[in-house]
Amino acid sequence: MFDQIIECAPLGVFDSGVGGLTVAGEIFRQLPAEEIVYLGDTAHVPYGPRAVEELIGFADEIVDFLISQGAKAIVDACNTTSSVALEFLLSKYDIPIIGVVEPGVKAALRHTVSGRVGVIATEATIMSAAHRRKVQQLEPAVQVYGQACPLFVPLVESGETNSGKVRQVAREYLAPLMDQGIDTLILGCTHYPFLVPVLKEVLGPDVNLVDPAWETVRQLGRLLEEKGLTGRDKGTVSPQHRFYVTGAVEPFREVGQRLLGTGYLLERVMQVTLG
Ligand code: DGL
């Protein structure tokens, strides 16, 4: 009975907005038997300029909500809260919770040859130096160069991912990192993989772009196996994913669908008030 409940329980996934869909999409690919319940805290996006205490408060409320929705494990699909709130969440909740910072760093360390790694992320993530601290812990000889990109999240949330404005802003943000001769760039915000075509165009072919989603979901799969929490394949019945937003439903559904592409139909988007 208990096993059956666990097999059918969803994974909780959260972000400030549509960014976590880059991780959700990877869950659909790597762990197709898993069902997700997603929370996009769109009433508070962007998270990047906010204070640490406030971000911890948001993450706490979200995890509480996802647990109330039956989540068996949580993916903090936001680098900002993974940087400043994950420790708090792990100390407060018994449920398995995985963030995106450590997986991103591990993937980058596998790619770099020169030992010069860039990180682009929100202001709060760069200020926390979470990626730098993790690299120092795992591979102290590797140099990390961080760059905050405050305009990227609002652009992606409005569905603007490939315009002249995005290109111009990307050139400005990436120039100092290119001057440092990085060979690997961590996309340290889950909104940024949606900007990959422009980022590639600006960086050229010699810089590896690391989207932490793949490694995060690989680690998640292992964690679920270790804890005996793996979902059961329901045969012909596809998982019934649910999406909640704290702001308006339609912009999230519309932009999210455009960003996810035609492979997945973004249905069941509902508004919720937290706290
Ligand atoms: N996707 C969030 C992250 O990974 C964006 C934070 C924001 O809303 O500024 O950091």
Side-chain angles (χ1 to χ4, degrees), residues 15-16 45-48 78-80 122 153 189-191:
D15 180 47
S16 59
V45 69
Y47 274 5
C78 171
N79 286 264
T80 309
T122 67
V153 168
C189 169
T190 49
H191 282 71

Side-chain angles (χ1 to χ4, degrees), residues 143-162:
Q143 296 295 316
V144 179
Y145 303 94
Q147 173 68 47
C149 306
L151 292 176
F152 277 167
V153 168
L155 282 166
V156 174
E157 282 292 322
S158 68
E160 196 174 334
T161 55
N162 204 337

